[in-house]
Amino acid sequence: MGRSGVITFKGNAMTLEGNDLAVGSAAPDFKLIYADNGLQALTLADLKGKPSIISVVPSLDTPTCAIQTKRFNEELGSLGDKINAVTVSRDLPFAQARFCGAEDVKMRTASDYQTHAFGTDYGLTIEELKLLTRAVIVLDADGKVAYKEIVAEVTQEPDYSAAMAALRMLV
């Protein structure tokens, strides 16, 4: 099911695949892949037990996505191990790891490159581009959606203050 009128990319209307994820609903399970001594899986179960922020970007190799990832990495540092933080894109896990090493990013990155199920299940795949749209999702310790922002213009940054405030309410 496609949803139009939610986002634009460089001013052009785009369609999001999947259903809209509602605040208060249980987050769908997922299996993302990250590079750490080989390829590893990250699932929703791995995040449960602590509040989590999921920063979703189209590609770490673009300026706005790099800014978003570095900004959340910096702001989340003060919360230490009280939270889970992950950036999700469709970049290959090795490219994500290279980016984190080059940019001194400590937060985990994980990729939806294998099945694209995360993007579809969370309603975040841009149908025309087959990339993830820019979004921020905050989950409570039980895996329920406490906050969600889908950035209306993909080339713009998210509302960092609102996302951080929602996360801090759960810590």
Side-chain angles (χ1 to χ4, degrees), residues 8 11 35 39 48 61 76 78 91 108-109 127 152 157 164:
T8 58
L39 295 178
K48 288 187 176 178
D61 282 330
L76 294 166
S78 65
D91 297 303
R108 177 175 284 162
T109 54
E127 187 174 288
E157 294 175 58
M164 291 302 296

Side-chain angles (χ1 to χ4, degrees), residues 7-163:
I7 63 162
T8 58
F9 179 71
K10 297 184 178 180
N12 299 306
M14 296 282 139
T15 306
L16 290 178
E17 291 179 4
N19 294 319
D20 190 21
L21 184 64
V23 171
S25 67
D29 198 11
F30 57 79
K31 180 181 176 186
L32 300 168
I33 306 299
Y34 65 97
D36 183 15
N37 293 318
L39 295 178
Q40 309 293 327
L42 177 71
T43 66
L44 180 62
D46 296 322
L47 300 183
K48 288 187 176 178
K50 295 180 189 179
S52 301
I53 187 166
I54 303 172
S55 173
V56 183
V57 299
S59 176
L60 292 171
D61 282 330
T62 63
T64 307
C65 298
I67 289 167
Q68 179 175 333
T69 302
K70 292 189 284 187
R71 172 94 180 255
F72 274 127
N73 181 68
E74 182 179 305
E75 291 198 27
L76 294 166
S78 65
L79 296 175
D81 64 356
K82 295 177 186 173
I83 57 123
N84 295 303
V86 61
T87 292
V88 177
S89 72
R90 289 208 173 134
D91 297 303
L92 293 178
F94 306 110
Q96 292 175 329
R98 178 195 48 76
F99 170 86
C100 290
E103 299 293 339
D104 197 32
V105 169
K106 304 297 183 211
M107 72 186 287
R108 177 175 284 162
T109 54
S111 180
D112 186 33
Y113 82 101
Q114 283 189 340
T115 66
H116 294 195
F118 174 88
T120 301
D121 293 345
Y122 281 68
L124 300 175
T125 297
I126 303 170
E127 187 174 288
E128 295 83 355
L129 303 176
K130 302 303 179 209
L131 294 171
L132 296 173
T133 194
R134 186 172 317 285
V136 181
I137 300 166
V138 174
L139 304 177
D140 69 14
D142 297 321
K144 286 193 177 174
V145 179
Y147 171 87
K148 178 191 78 174
E149 177 191 10
I150 295 176
V151 180
E153 168 53 54
V154 177
T155 62
Q156 301 296 313
E157 294 175 58
D159 184 341
Y160 300 105
S161 297

